């Protein structure tokens, strides 16, 4: 399973990369705004840090404008993936960008049928937002399971990129379901490494090591 980091913070990307946790990066306008940097400059900086795909989101909602934005973003680096919102105009842009050899990530996906439509338009990846579904009292991971099933039924090549991940169970369930990619904040990544029994066992080993004759 591929791990992407969901951040626009270059220092977080560096730290996660050092630990082997960065197969790619996803950003969104909210994350970009938090940095105070210009979108183009920031994406260039991130692409220089990582070898894998870097999702950069368009901010237009009309297909022709999305196309121009997408083409400009794709020029920044060869690993840019153009992130497009799951709206009808967005799918027009996805189809055209795909035909031009530009990779796309269809975002804000909240139903398996939306994911099917994105795949039919030729999306490289789709991003179901599991945490935001959980927030509404429904089960976000059920959506992921359904998308995987639909894609398997019809041999779609579109990757399932589980997004809006909030905790380790989202990651475990994604892995058990065979999702292609998970994207998560650095804070969630760090939480995946810890276990109280590891800490307890290590403390005991260090204590016992003191008794070993030098
Ligand atoms: O990048 C999209 C997604 O991961 C957002 O997550 O936590 O804002 O719902 P969140």
């Amino acid at each position: 399973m591929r791990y992407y980091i969901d951040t626009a913070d270059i220092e977080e990307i560096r730290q996660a990369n050092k630990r082997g946790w960065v197969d790619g990066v996803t950003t969104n306008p909210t994350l970009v705004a938090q940095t105070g940097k210009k979108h183009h400059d920031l994406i260039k900086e991130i692409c220089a840090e990582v070898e894998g795909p870097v999702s950069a989101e368009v901010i237009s909602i009309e297909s022709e404008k999305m196309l121009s934005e997408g083409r400009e973003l794709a020029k920044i680096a060869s690993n840019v993936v153009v992130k497009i919102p799951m709206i009808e105009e967005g799918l027009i842009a996805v189809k055209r960008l795909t035909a031009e050899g530009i990779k796309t990530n269809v975002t804000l996906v909240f139903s398996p049928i939306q994911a099917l439509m994105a795949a039919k338009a030729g999306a490289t990846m789709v991003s179901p937002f599991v945490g935001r579904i959980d927030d509404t009292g429904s089960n976000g991971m059920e959506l992921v399971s359904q998308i995987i099933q639909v894609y398997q039924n019809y041999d779609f090549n579109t990757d399932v990129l589980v997004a809006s991940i909030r905790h380790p169970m989202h990651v475990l369930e994604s892995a058990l379901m065979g999702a292609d990619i998970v994207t998560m904040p650095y804070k969630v990544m760090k939480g995946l490494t810890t276990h109280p029994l590891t800490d307890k066992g290590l403390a005991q080993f260090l204590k016992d090591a003191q008794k070993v004759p030098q």
Side-chain angles (χ1 to χ4, degrees):
M1 184 166 59
R2 282 165 276 161
Y3 270 21
Y4 288 5
I5 186 165
D6 194 32
T7 188
D9 182 326
I10 204 82
E11 196 44 44
E12 284 187 348
I13 292 168
R14 285 188 186 129
Q15 290 303 322
N17 216 359
K18 261 193 219 172
R19 291 158 174 76
W21 301 339
V22 180
D23 298 314
V25 179
T26 50
T27 64
N28 63 40
T30 307
L31 295 170
V32 172
Q34 285 163 5
T35 68
K37 295 179 184 173
K38 285 188 182 168
H39 193 201
H40 186 286
D41 297 346
L42 178 68
I43 297 300
K44 195 172 175 183
E45 200 181 353
I46 295 174
C47 287
E49 261 330 297
V50 299
E51 285 175 16
V54 174
S55 284
E57 190 158 342
V58 300
I59 50 166
S60 308
I61 54 169
E62 192 271 315
S63 61
E64 286 303 325
K65 288 184 182 152
M66 286 190 218
L67 264 173
S68 318
E69 258 192 81
R71 286 176 185 137
E72 285 309 307
L73 289 168
K75 277 185 206 157
I76 297 174
S78 59
N79 51 338
V80 166
V81 173
V82 179
K83 208 170 173 187
I84 305 268
M86 177 59 225
I87 54 175
E88 209 176 323
E89 286 288 307
L91 297 186
I92 297 172
V94 167
K95 186 163 166 43
R96 299 261 299 275
L97 290 169
T98 302
E100 292 173 22
I102 295 172
K103 290 188 172 147
T104 56
N105 172 2
V106 174
T107 189
L108 290 166
V109 167
F110 293 95
S111 84
I113 290 297
Q114 285 184 313
L116 176 56
M117 299 310 276
K120 286 194 72 68
T124 313
M125 46 189 93
V126 286
S127 295
F129 275 27
V130 295
R132 293 193 193 184
I133 292 180
D134 290 353
D135 291 344
T136 67
S138 294
N139 185 347
M141 290 312 300
E142 201 176 303
L143 166 63
V144 175
S145 161
Q146 289 179 339
I147 296 173
I148 291 172
Q149 169 92 60
V150 169
Y151 284 5
Q152 278 174 356
N153 288 349
Y154 299 102
D155 288 332
F156 282 114
N157 290 324
T158 304
D159 280 341
V160 180
L161 192 175
V162 184
S164 185
I165 280 185
R166 306 274 171 78
H167 50 71
M169 282 308 290
H170 281 147
V171 180
L172 175 60
E173 286 182 53
S174 299
L176 291 171
M177 285 175 190
D180 302 287
I181 312 160
V182 283
T183 188
M184 61 197 129
Y186 185 50
K187 189 179 68 176
V188 174
M189 284 181 165
K190 283 175 78 72
L192 301 180
T193 63
T194 59
H195 196 287
L197 290 178
T198 305
D199 296 341
K200 191 180 169 201
L202 179 60
Q204 186 65 49
F205 286 155
L206 293 176
K207 199 173 154 200
D208 292 343
Q210 299 299 318
K211 302 173 196 158
V212 177
Q214 298 299 311

